[in-house]
């Protein structure tokens, strides 16, 4: 039985209980959100290593990291290293977008080792097996989807919303169709003169998904690839179809989230989120960025994290990271780290601004450690402790500087926090120091599990690490 079917029957599953614990909410609230389609728990019945998580606008904003090989780089060890890096730096889900060799082996290894949900885009494998996009058959497509479901994939991007009638709407675009899945399906429809096979077989796909409890991630194959194309007729025609497909999937007791753009000017981001929520009856919105300007290749983790923060503020439930390599090349491990940092910041900033209960406890705890010159505590609480420690120690490496009342930014003489503290009356500082024992403790936060520093949260999982060793520290702090 799928999570949504159980929820509709009034059952709180083990997975619902676990995500309620992680989010610090009532399990009955989780059940209601899943039952009415406002949240999803991607959890294939065959994914044994999974620690369940939830995606929905009423829960902490989540982030996804894309990994995967290409024809140019293909090996299982390298992919597991990327999985380890993504989980280590706090991703909530991982999409395996491999298009090179060993697709089955890589996918199985990822599912076997991953404590976070694994997503895929099955049309990629269908193209590989067919040899050419136009040679994909309905049977092959369903065979690929069924096999990946059986392998334990938790959610799949299905570009069923790209329809024949939508294609002419892209003719005047500045950058055409930029989604890989969207362009493959457009080619198929143009060369075969038939409707999108994912749309034509959607109810069969629903039945496969129901058997394994695979969650739909309804792809936005016509997403805008530049600011000029944002919010055009093609994008919104597809969105209307995605709303229709959302309701069809729900009729089959299958969980659904909906993917969104792309490249969108900052002033249009919130209205795009509102429109998706209306058209898709509140199904969780899973957005890629969006990038709010087109002019910064090499820095698109930043241009997109700005849009992602705005999207999460407006109700997007999960943010698909973009790395500095976007538009330029396949991300390496350092790009995965930088992309995830940008997106953890975006997600957390939105959670704080949206008043998510317990979200700001983390900020308060770090600020208190900062004012107390408790450097070790600052590093431990940082979103990326290793980076914070590394940067501090570049100029002041000695242990004696871990209690110093300054750092190299302003120096001892001009440290404003030291000057401020020295200027205060003795009694005032005594009171501040006496309060030290009452400092904010994120572990006591109502949302402790999701709001604590994410780095290394799942390092106890059985994923080979980049040095070839399997971490065993179930406490999960990378820097312990
Ligand atoms: S020296 Fe400047 S940056 Fe460093 S701790 Fe003091 S106030 Fe903060």
């Amino acid at each position: 039985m799928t999570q949504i079917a159980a929820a509709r029957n009034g059952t709180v599953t083990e997975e619902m209980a676990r995500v309620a614990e992680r989010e610090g909410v009532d399990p009955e609230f989780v059940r209601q959100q899943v039952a009415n389609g406002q949240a999803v728990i991607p959890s294939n019945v065959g994914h044994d290593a999974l620690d369940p998580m939830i995606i929905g606008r009423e829960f902490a904003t989540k982030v996804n990291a894309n990994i995967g090989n290409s024809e140019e780089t293909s090996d299982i060890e390298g992919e597991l290293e990327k999985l380890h890096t993504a989980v280590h730096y706090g991703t909530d889900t991982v999409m395996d977008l491999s298009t090179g060799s060993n697709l089955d082996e890589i996918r199985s290894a990822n599912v076997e080792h991953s404590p976070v949900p694994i997503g895929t885009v099955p049309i990629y494998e269908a193209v590989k097996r067919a040899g050419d996009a136009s040679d994909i058959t309905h049977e092959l497509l369903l065979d690929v989807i069924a096999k990946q479901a059986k392998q334990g994939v938790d959610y799949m991007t299905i570009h069923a919303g790209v329809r024949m009638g939508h294609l002419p709407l892209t003719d005047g675009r500045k950058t055409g169709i930029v989604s890989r899945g969207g362009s493959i399906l457009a080619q198929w429809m143009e060369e075969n003169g038939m409707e999108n096979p994912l749309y034509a077989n959607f109810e069969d796909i629903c039945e496969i998904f129901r058997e394994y409890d695979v969650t739909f991630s309804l792809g936005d194959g016509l997403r805008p690839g530049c600011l000029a194309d944002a919010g055009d007729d093609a994008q919104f025609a597809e969105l209307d179809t995605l709303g229709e497909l959302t309701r069809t999937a729900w009729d089959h007791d299958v969980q659904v989230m909906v993917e969104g753009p792309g490249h969108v000017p900052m002033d249009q981001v919130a209205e795009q989120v509102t429109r998706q929520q209306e058209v898709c009856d509140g199904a969780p919105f899973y957005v890629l960025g969006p990038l709010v300007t087109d002019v910064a290749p090499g820095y698109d983790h930043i241009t997109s994290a700005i849009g992602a923060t705005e999207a999460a503020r407006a109700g997007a439930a999960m943010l698909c990271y973009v790395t500095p390599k976007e538009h330029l090349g396949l991300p390496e491990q350092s790009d995965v780290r930088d992309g995830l940092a940008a997106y953890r910041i975006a997600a957390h900033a939105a959670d704080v601004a949206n008043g998510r209960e317990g979200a700001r406890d983390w900020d308060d705890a770090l600020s208190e450690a900062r004012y107390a010159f408790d450097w070790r505590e600052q590093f431990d609480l940082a979103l990326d402790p290793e980076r914070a420690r590394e940067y501090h120690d570049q100029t002041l490496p000695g242990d004696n500087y871990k209690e110093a009342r300054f750092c190299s930014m302003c120096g001892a003489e001009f440290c404003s926090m030291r000057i401020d503290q020295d200027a205060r009356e003795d009694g005032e500082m005594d009171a501040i120091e006496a309060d030290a024992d009452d400092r904010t403790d994120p572990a006591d936060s109502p949302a402790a599990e999701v709001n604590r520093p994410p780095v290394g949260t799942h390092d106890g999982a059985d994923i080979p690490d980049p040095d070839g060793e399997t971490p065993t520290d179930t406490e999960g702090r990378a820097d312990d």
Side-chain angles (χ1 to χ4, degrees), residues 373 375 405-411 414-418:
F373 294 106
W375 292 100
R405 297 176 73 211
F406 64 94
C407 71
S408 63
M409 182 172 170
C410 321
F414 289 98
C415 175
S416 56
M417 291 201 303
R418 195 269 305 156

Side-chain angles (χ1 to χ4, degrees), residues 305-463:
I306 293 168
T309 310
E310 179 78 354
R313 277 281 280 149
M318 183 155 81
L319 313 174
C320 181
Y321 87 167
V322 172
T323 76
K325 287 278 175 63
E326 184 76 9
H327 303 112
L328 301 171
L330 193 69
E332 296 171 358
Q333 297 208 29
S334 61
D335 305 309
V336 171
R337 178 183 187 173
D338 289 346
L340 271 170
Y343 273 70
R344 296 295 323 182
I345 294 166
H348 181 65
D351 284 348
V352 170
N354 286 341
R356 178 107 36 230
E357 190 175 4
R360 218 195 65 191
D361 291 346
W362 181 11
D363 301 77
D364 292 347
L366 194 142
S367 296
E368 288 158 5
R370 181 173 283 153
Y371 195 64
F373 294 106
D374 186 342
W375 292 100
R376 289 186 179 85
E377 181 75 356
Q378 274 196 70
F379 302 149
D380 283 349
L381 285 169
L383 182 132
D384 183 343
E386 295 150 352
R387 176 65 53 85
R389 179 176 284 109
E390 177 197 340
Y391 281 8
H392 175 270
D393 289 359
Q394 277 174 359
T395 47
L396 299 174
D399 264 0
N400 52 319
Y401 291 116
K402 299 298 185 297
E403 274 118 43
R405 297 176 73 211
F406 64 94
C407 71
S408 63
M409 182 172 170
C410 321
E413 189 182 356
F414 289 98
C415 175
S416 56
M417 291 201 303
R418 195 269 305 156
I419 295 168
D420 174 68
Q421 291 176 16
D422 288 350
R424 288 176 187 270
E425 300 291 330
D426 282 350
E428 212 176 338
M429 273 319 293
D430 287 348
I432 289 171
E433 280 160 18
D435 280 347
D437 290 341
D438 296 327
R439 278 193 209 148
T440 309
D441 181 358
D444 290 336
S445 160
E449 286 280 346
V450 283
N451 286 309
R452 72 181 176 180
V455 172
T457 301
H458 281 110
D459 273 3
D462 180 27
I463 310 172

Side-chain angles (χ1 to χ4, degrees), residues 150-361:
K150 198 171 179 184
Q151 283 181 305
V153 170
D154 300 287
Y155 68 96
M156 294 187 206
T157 295
I158 300 292
H159 298 92
V162 188
R163 302 199 55 190
M164 286 190 81
H166 300 158
L167 300 184
L169 301 175
T170 65
D171 286 349
R173 280 185 160 185
K174 221 177 249 303
T175 57
I177 299 175
V178 298
S179 150
R180 274 191 283 188
S183 63
I184 290 166
L185 288 157
Q187 182 189 345
W188 191 94
M189 286 185 272
E190 275 161 3
E191 296 192 9
N192 290 285
M194 290 192 286
E195 185 54 273
N196 179 347
L198 291 170
Y199 182 84
N201 292 286
F202 192 74
E203 300 214 38
D204 290 335
I205 299 170
C206 287
E207 286 307 304
I208 295 169
F209 279 18
R210 178 158 67 177
E211 183 178 351
Y212 296 96
D213 200 0
V214 178
T215 297
F216 273 109
S217 185
L218 292 175
D220 56 335
L222 299 183
R223 68 168 170 267
C226 63
L227 298 191
D229 295 341
D232 68 359
D233 290 345
Q235 187 196 344
F236 287 144
E238 181 187 36
L239 180 62
D240 289 342
T241 304
L242 297 182
E244 167 202 325
L245 296 172
T246 296
R247 290 179 280 280
T248 303
W250 284 342
D251 289 343
H252 286 260
D253 279 340
V254 177
Q255 304 185 90
V256 186
M257 55 186 170
V258 176
E259 297 184 12
H263 293 237
V264 179
M266 185 89 160
D267 57 300
Q268 297 176 27
V269 172
E271 65 192 62
Q272 288 232 7
V273 175
T274 302
R275 184 166 180 147
Q276 180 276 340
Q277 288 287 283
E278 288 170 2
V279 171
C280 300
D281 294 346
F285 203 19
Y286 166 29
V287 295
L288 175 68
L291 285 71
V292 293
T293 174
D294 300 334
V295 300
Y299 297 93
D300 278 335
H301 60 316
I302 297 173
T303 61
S304 63
I306 293 168
T309 310
E310 179 78 354
R313 277 281 280 149
M318 183 155 81
L319 313 174
C320 181
Y321 87 167
V322 172
T323 76
K325 287 278 175 63
E326 184 76 9
H327 303 112
L328 301 171
L330 193 69
E332 296 171 358
Q333 297 208 29
S334 61
D335 305 309
V336 171
R337 178 183 187 173
D338 289 346
L340 271 170
Y343 273 70
R344 296 295 323 182
I345 294 166
H348 181 65
D351 284 348
V352 170
N354 286 341
R356 178 107 36 230
E357 190 175 4
R360 218 195 65 191
D361 291 346

